[in-house]
């Protein structure tokens, strides 16, 4: 009888050690998706550099930012420990999309051990830089506007102002796909 108790205790101890070495990942341990991924500002007036921001995630020590054209091409990935990133060398005639995921990188091994899903998409949309105006009829105040194409967009909104130096005086006039 004592032999079977010893075997039982030995099996119990082995099972307890195996369970103790196994880590269980619960839903609470998973990293949350970074919220409020957004275009923050242009870093220059030529629309080739901008800042993207997002909310911090508890338990994350790194973030992975992915930037592409709207069709998914020109994929670029950036890693930062901050909750913002300034992108550089963007093309001034393309719309980009950006999304971010929270990651935990093991400080000893440098390996990503946990990561969230991707955040919402933030659009990076430059303004047309080259605008030309042709007055076609001064008496009826008609003008033809043309500007450089912004690839990835499906239309343009035209705003007018009698006082262009004042930001509050611009009024939407029309939309066009051309």
């Amino acid at each position: 009888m004592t032999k079977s108790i010893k075997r039982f205790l030995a099996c119990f101890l082995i099972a307890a050690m195996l369970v103790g070495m196994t880590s269980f990942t619960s839903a609470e341990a998973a990293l949350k998706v970074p919220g409020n991924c957004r275009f923050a500002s242009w870093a220059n007036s030529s629309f080739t550099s901008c800042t993207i921001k997002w909310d911090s995630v508890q338990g994350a020590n790194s973030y992975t930012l992915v930037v592409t054209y709207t069709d998914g091409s020109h994929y670029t990935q950036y890693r930062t420990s901050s909750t913002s990133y300034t992108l550089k060398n963007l093309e001034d005639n393309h719309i980009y999309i950006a999304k971010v995921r929270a990651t935990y990188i093991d400080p000893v091994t440098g390996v990503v051990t946990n990561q969230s899903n991707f955040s919402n998409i933030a659009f990076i949309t430059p303004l047309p830089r080259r605008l030309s105006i042709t007055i076609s009829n001064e008496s009826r105040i008609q003008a033809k506007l043309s500007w450089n194409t912004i690839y990835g967009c499906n239309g343009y909104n035209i705003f007018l102002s009698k006082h262009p130096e004042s930001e509050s005086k611009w009024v939407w006039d029309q939309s066009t796909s051309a």
Side-chain angles (χ1 to χ4, degrees), residues 33-59:
V33 173
N36 198 20
C37 180
R38 63 201 178 276
F39 169 87
S41 64
W42 287 107
N44 61 24
S45 59
S46 61
F47 307 114
T48 59
S49 180
C50 74
T51 301
I52 302 294
K53 293 184 177 183
W54 55 89
D55 296 341
S56 65
V57 173
Q58 186 175 0

Side-chain angles (χ1 to χ4, degrees), residues 64-77:
T64 304
L65 177 67
V66 171
V67 179
T68 67
Y69 284 177
T70 53
D71 66 0
S73 67
H74 294 78
Y75 178 97
T76 309
Q77 183 173 299

Side-chain angles (χ1 to χ4, degrees), residues 74-87:
H74 294 78
Y75 178 97
T76 309
Q77 183 173 299
Y78 306 92
R79 181 153 285 153
T80 181
S81 59
S82 176
T83 56
S84 68
Y85 194 86
T86 299
L87 301 165

Side-chain angles (χ1 to χ4, degrees), residues 22-31 113-115:
T22 306
S23 66
F24 295 97
T25 303
S26 66
E28 294 83 66
L31 291 174
T113 59
N114 197 355
Q115 63 186 6

Side-chain angles (χ1 to χ4, degrees), residues 121-141:
I121 292 174
F123 287 90
I124 304 166
T125 308
L127 297 174
R129 290 185 37 175
R130 292 170 295 284
L131 174 67
S132 66
I133 301 171
T134 306
I135 306 295
S136 58
N137 186 340
E138 285 186 41
S139 62
R140 292 186 58 209
I141 311 174

Side-chain angles (χ1 to χ4, degrees), residues 62 134 160:
S62 179
T134 306
L160 301 175

